[in-house]
Each structure stands twice: as C-alpha cells, then as structure tokens.
Amino acid sequence: MKSNIYYLGLIALGAVARVLPHPPNFTPTGAIAFFGGNKLTNKWAAFLAPLAILALSDLVIGLHGTLPFVYASFLITVALGRIMGSSNAGRVLGLGLSSAIFFIISNFGVWLGSGMYPHTGGGLWSCYLAALPFFRNELAANFLYGGAFFLAAGLIEKNIGVLSRQKQTA
C-alpha cells in the first residue's frame, strides 16, 4: 500500500511534463497509463489516474474534438499494463503496443472528426502517413519515460524492502 503512494507521486511528476513545452507527442502520458495499470494495486486508481491527468492538463493545453479517442486509447493502455508487464520483456512489448494503440485510435479520431481528410480509405491512409512523425515521438517517449518509471519503481521497491528489514531488526 505504501508503494502506491510512491507510484502516484511518480505519476504526478510525469504528468507535469505534459503541460511543459515538449516536442509533439513526446509526453509521459502513455507511459503513465501503462505504468499505473501495471503498478497500482487499486484497479480504480489505475484507471482514474491517467484520466485525471488528461482532464486537468487538457484544461491547461486546450480541449479538442478527438478527446474521446485519446482518452479511450489511454484506458486501453491501462488495461494493457494490468495484463502485461510482469517481466521486463512484457513491459517493453506493452509500452510499444500502447504507442501503436494510441497512434491507431487517436489518428482514426482525427480522420473521422477533423475534416482534414476525406472519409475514404485513401483519406484514412493519408492521415496515418501524416502522423508517422508523431508516432515516432510517442514511441520514444513511452520507452524513455516508461523505462524511467519502472527503474524508479524498482529502486523504491528495493528501498522499501530495506527499510522494512531495518525496522524488523531494530
């Protein structure tokens, strides 16, 4: 239970990065959703944490028509974190898959609702092609931030264990 407080602290720190200047789609949000799904023992907290982060930061950075698609992709990412990621390989695969999920769902929302692309197969294809640089940034951010979160969590878990053993021997 104590580790959940540390995990929520890591999530909050990562969320601040969403409102700071950054390259497009290079934010910790996907990694936060996956990490929270993987590490938070309370299922509701795992799903509510990224939604709260998105909602609060969207009030700062602005609302847009693709919010339902963005939020849905992060809820799926939380679920992915809950079912994948007990091993480092599972975490790496899960972080990569969560980037792909975000790319597919959010850009489908852009194609469907922005009016920037015709509602044809070619229009959808053009939308996905135009979004590839954003996908690269999302993928890099998920691996960078996800790696940092899981590394920090490992250090926290190790130190909590050390502190518990010290209390028992004192």
Side-chain angles (χ1 to χ4, degrees), residues 77-115:
T77 296
V78 171
L80 194 61
R82 293 192 72 73
I83 59 174
M84 293 186 78
S86 59
S87 69
N88 286 337
R91 291 174 181 157
V92 169
L93 179 61
L95 286 165
L97 283 173
S98 67
S99 296
I101 288 165
F102 177 79
F103 175 79
I104 291 166
I105 294 174
S106 65
N107 287 297
F108 181 80
V110 168
W111 170 77
L112 187 64
S114 72

Side-chain angles (χ1 to χ4, degrees), residues 52-77:
I53 290 164
L54 288 167
L56 291 172
S57 58
D58 281 335
L59 292 175
V60 174
I61 62 176
L63 303 174
H64 51 85
T66 60
L67 287 178
F69 297 93
V70 170
Y71 285 42
S73 70
F74 288 121
L75 290 175
I76 293 168
T77 296

Side-chain angles (χ1 to χ4, degrees), residues 10 17 23 25 28 42 45 53 68 79 109 114 127 132 134 142 153 160 162 169:
L10 284 173
N25 281 38
N42 182 310
I53 290 164
S114 72
C127 180
L132 284 175
F134 301 100
N142 272 359
I160 288 174
V162 168
T169 59

